[in-house]
Amino acid sequence: MSDGTQVSPPAPVSEAPRGEDLLHNPAVNKGTAFTEEERNTLGLRGLLPARVCSQDEQVMRVMENYRTKPNDLEKYVYLTALHDRNETLFYRVVMEHLPEMMPIIYTPTVGEACQHYGHIYRRARGLFVSARDRGKIADVLRNWPVENVRLIVVTDGERILGLGDLGANGMGIPVGKLSLYTACAGVHPSCGLPIMLDVGTNNETLLDDLLYLGLGQKRLRGQAYDDLVEEFVMAVQEVFPRALIQFEDFGNVNAFRLLKKYRDRVCTFNDDVQGTAAVALAGLYSALRITGDRLIDQRILFAGAGEAGTGIADIVVSAMMDNGLSHSEAAGRCWFVDSKGLVVKSRDDLQEHKRPYAHEHEFCEALADAVRCVRPTALIGASGQPGIFDRDVVDAVASINDRPIIFALSNPTSKAECTAEQAYGWTDGRAIFASGSPFDPVTLGDRRLVPGQGNNAYIFPGVGLGVVLSGATRVTDEMFFAAARALADQVSTADLDQGSLYPPLSRIRHASQSIAVAVARMAHETGLATIEIPGDLESYVASQMYEPTYAASP
Ligand code: NAD
């Protein structure tokens, strides 16, 4: 498998700059950890204080500073500065404190950072491709200093988390996702390229903000937008032909179309649709281990028929078909309520992605009424509407099921359809609950319930690693399927006993490794791999995972 196609190693220090330039290159900078010998041979003597520190001591200093920051945004700014200064130390700190730092480098703090991007900006990270670059996007890509790019996360900033159109401020999202690829799955940092496709913004507040850094124009739409995306995708094939393109936080109007247009042409996926789907399916598999029921016997009511909800339904349908149902039987087990009410055949206002789930049924407007007539075994919220799983709704689903499955996936925490405390409290602890954002454990009598977080970070980093290591030329539903199963397999009986449908974040690297193995294997079985896999795939994947330790100098 080692045919020169493996994940890029760090640049050898012998090729790295010397002296002051070395200290300003985050990929190779060790700061105060440069040894006496390195200080002599690399022209560093005098440029650093006398004492040579160990990496452990550097971590101690970082944590001391980090913990004095007055709020999460300041912590984000501090970690970003560390990332810009010493990449290895940044990943060592983040990987050692992942449960604490995940909410800072990603949702929810990254959302706040995006909102203030133009104001907290220090230096650029990633590549900015704008509508002004039409006709020369390949040249822009060639300006990126690394040749062996294997993973691109791109956004056009139209639907950033639950925050809407943030234009070029959305760059924080690809940057954050690529940090998670490294922290959660050990993808080498040099493989990743964050890209902002700046097509303008319709956010008037940003357009009026003198410090806004993006194109000061309304969003491109129609043919002009499609032409720009097409040029971008083709330019990637030309400049970085082995890169996987992850579309991230595009608006509904474009996300589904672009996925459909490119998924069979290039190596690509949409995390909001497919990553969310796989993480939710893994949660369902875990929930069914508790109830002892079969997936094909479930009847699922989704509140929210957007990228997340219909993405989940699509993978559930594939999983049910894998277990013997026909497409129409499987789709018939998935029901939707959107902002207008129950999605039924008689409605003439349905977007294309909702139509497969529009069933022959009387329309009803209220969610609780929909629960009473659909009689779901599972209720999955992906609506972005806080509190819509109210007492009436939860009572209705709990009166139908001994162990009702209730997922409140909307982010951030303030947008969750219900809290963990409500789901458990209103059902006397019978609910099998998972959420999109973290909730604290809930104590109910003598039981301590620890709700699992259906975080996409459980899925996409492992999928990306598997695709990169197998050289897969496409990303398929079967791979997300395999990823969901591999993740569910990581949930122990002890996790289930305390109500957790996902492994703890402290085991995420191991979960990502298993997912990468499953995805690489699937790539081979389906003829999509371009790199031969060794017999002992587990060990091989483990050997390729990045460790945040300083490279030895020559
Ligand atoms: P989206 O904008 O594509 O879809 C939202 C959907 O909710 C739309 O279909 C809309 O009609 C519907 N809706 C609005 N009000 C409603 C109401 N009162 N009742 C029922 N439906 C209503 O957004 P999306 O990408 O699908 O994301 C939705 C939510 O899911 C967001 O809060 C997002 O943070 C969350 N999400 C969570 C995860 C995760 O937990 N892993 C992953 C992705 C998205």
Side-chain angles (χ1 to χ4, degrees):
M1 183 132 152
S2 289
D3 61 349
T5 44
Q6 67 188 46
V7 182
S8 354
V13 175
S14 59
E15 287 174 17
R18 294 169 48 83
E20 192 68 24
D21 289 346
L22 181 52
L23 297 177
H24 289 133
N25 184 334
V28 285
N29 182 23
K30 303 182 193 178
T32 54
F34 277 114
T35 62
E36 292 289 354
E37 200 187 335
E38 287 167 337
R39 291 173 188 218
N40 286 335
T41 54
L42 296 169
L44 291 168
R45 192 145 293 283
L47 299 182
L48 292 162
R51 185 160 154 241
V52 174
C53 295
S54 66
Q55 202 188 43
D56 285 346
E57 288 164 340
Q58 291 182 310
V59 171
M60 214 188 298
R61 186 174 296 109
V62 167
M63 290 312 295
E64 190 179 295
N65 279 282
Y66 176 82
R67 295 217 162 109
T68 62
K69 299 297 164 202
N71 56 50
D72 289 348
L73 190 57
E74 287 297 324
K75 288 180 176 165
Y76 177 91
V77 171
Y78 178 73
L79 286 179
T80 301
L82 175 63
H83 197 177
D84 289 342
R85 204 164 60 234
N86 182 336
E87 187 174 81
T88 317
L89 186 57
F90 167 79
Y91 281 113
R92 168 85 195 275
V93 166
V94 170
M95 286 160 77
E96 270 185 17
H97 302 87
L98 197 60
E100 180 181 351
M101 292 188 177
M102 183 101 112
I104 305 295
I105 62 168
Y106 206 66
T107 180
T109 308
V110 74
E112 200 186 343
C114 287
Q115 286 173 311
H116 302 285
Y117 185 80
H119 295 257
I120 61 172
Y121 179 86
R122 303 290 194 277
R123 59 183 288 188
R125 173 172 287 277
L127 211 51
F128 298 79
V129 176
S130 90
R132 276 198 218 132
D133 298 317
R134 183 89 177 88
K136 41 186 189 294
I137 295 179
D139 293 337
V140 175
L141 297 183
R142 281 192 198 93
N143 285 340
W144 186 247
V146 178
E147 279 177 22
N148 189 24
V149 169
R150 303 297 306 277
L151 271 170
I152 288 173
V153 181
V154 60
T155 187
D156 72 356
E158 184 164 9
R159 203 231 45 176
I160 295 300
L161 304 168
L163 303 168
D165 182 353
L166 295 186
N169 286 11
M171 184 51 137
I173 298 297
V175 168
K177 286 252 158 158
L178 282 160
S179 295
L180 295 185
Y181 267 110
T182 301
C184 303
V187 173
H188 195 282
S190 67
C191 294
L193 169 54
I195 296 186
M196 159 50 59
L197 202 55
D198 186 353
V199 296
T201 178
N202 293 348
N203 183 326
E204 295 292 346
T205 311
L206 291 179
L207 290 173
D208 290 341
D209 183 349
L210 286 176
L211 294 184
Y212 177 60
L213 287 161
L215 280 186
Q217 64 177 52
K218 293 272 187 195
R219 282 190 172 273
L220 280 193
R221 294 286 187 207
Q223 197 58 46
Y225 177 89
D226 285 359
D227 289 348
L228 191 81
V229 175
E230 174 74 10
E231 185 187 337
F232 165 72
V233 172
M234 291 306 118
V236 169
Q237 308 314 300
E238 184 187 329
V239 181
F240 304 120
R242 295 164 62 239
L244 157 64
I245 306 175
Q246 173 176 334
F247 282 87
E248 190 67 40
D249 286 359
F250 282 65
N252 270 346
V253 280
N254 294 315
F256 291 107
R257 269 181 342 103
L258 295 177
L259 178 60
K260 200 166 163 194
K261 181 170 177 187
Y262 292 111
R263 61 182 302 160
D264 296 324
R265 278 174 65 193
V266 302
C267 185
T268 189
F269 75 95
N270 180 310
D271 186 53
D272 307 301
V273 180
Q274 296 159 288
T276 305
V279 85
L281 180 61
L284 280 174
Y285 282 140
S286 297
L288 296 174
R289 276 169 65 191
I290 296 174
T291 62
D293 293 328
R294 299 183 306 173
L295 183 67
I296 53 170
D297 296 326
Q298 302 309 300
R299 184 189 275 262
I300 304 172
L301 179 60
F302 294 86
E307 291 173 42
T310 53
I312 300 168
D314 289 349
I315 202 171
V316 166
V317 166
S318 304
M320 287 179 170
M321 288 171 69
D322 206 42
N323 287 329
L325 295 194
S326 68
H327 184 275
S328 67
E329 286 169 332
R333 283 164 168 70
C334 297
W335 292 72
F336 279 87
V337 169
D338 66 8
S339 57
K340 311 254 168 46
L342 192 63
V343 171
V344 288
K345 269 243 159 66
S346 55
R347 278 178 57 179
D348 56 11
D349 58 349
L350 296 176
Q351 291 160 282
E352 197 187 329
H353 61 274
K354 300 180 189 176
R355 285 194 206 121
Y357 302 105
H359 305 308
E360 208 66 78
H361 196 282
E362 206 176 306
F363 174 73
C364 55
E365 200 176 327
L367 179 57
D369 291 340
V371 171
R372 282 186 275 269
C373 59
V374 172
R375 297 182 64 76
T377 53
L379 182 61
I380 299 184
S383 63
Q385 303 302 312
I388 61 168
F389 292 176
D390 58 18
R391 181 85 201 232
D392 194 18
V393 168
V394 172
D395 278 352
V397 76
S399 70
I400 300 162
N401 302 283
D402 183 31
R403 300 297 309 268
I405 298 170
I406 301 176
F407 290 179
L409 296 183
S410 288
N411 295 319
T413 317
S414 59
K415 295 263 171 94
E417 284 80 3
C418 68
T419 65
E421 203 166 0
Q422 291 168 334
Y424 293 133
W426 291 338
T427 61
D428 298 323
R430 287 189 291 128
I432 300 174
F433 178 80
S435 55
S437 296
F439 278 107
D440 288 336
V442 174
T443 304
L444 217 62
D446 57 358
R447 282 178 79 196
R448 184 172 182 270
L449 294 157
V450 183
Q453 188 195 352
N455 192 321
N456 289 30
Y458 278 118
I459 292 285
F460 73 82
V463 170
L465 182 65
V467 168
V468 166
L469 292 179
S470 62
T473 52
R474 298 287 181 273
V475 188
T476 62
D477 282 343
E478 284 91 348
M479 291 177 189
F480 281 100
F481 229 27
R485 268 193 296 257
L487 176 58
D489 286 347
Q490 294 298 313
V491 181
S492 67
T493 316
D495 294 330
L496 293 180
D497 286 346
Q498 60 176 12
S500 302
L501 306 182
Y502 298 96
L505 275 180
S506 54
R507 295 211 308 267
I508 200 167
R509 206 170 138 97
H510 191 256
S512 297
Q513 185 189 335
S514 301
I515 290 170
V517 167
V519 167
R521 207 162 263 146
M522 185 57 75
H524 272 267
E525 283 168 19
T526 49
L528 293 170
T530 55
I531 302 174
E532 199 187 312
I533 55 171
D536 186 357
L537 189 53
E538 280 81 4
S539 307
Y540 176 74
V541 169
S543 74
Q544 294 294 298
M545 289 170 78
Y546 168 80
E547 293 287 348
T549 46
Y550 292 129
S553 298

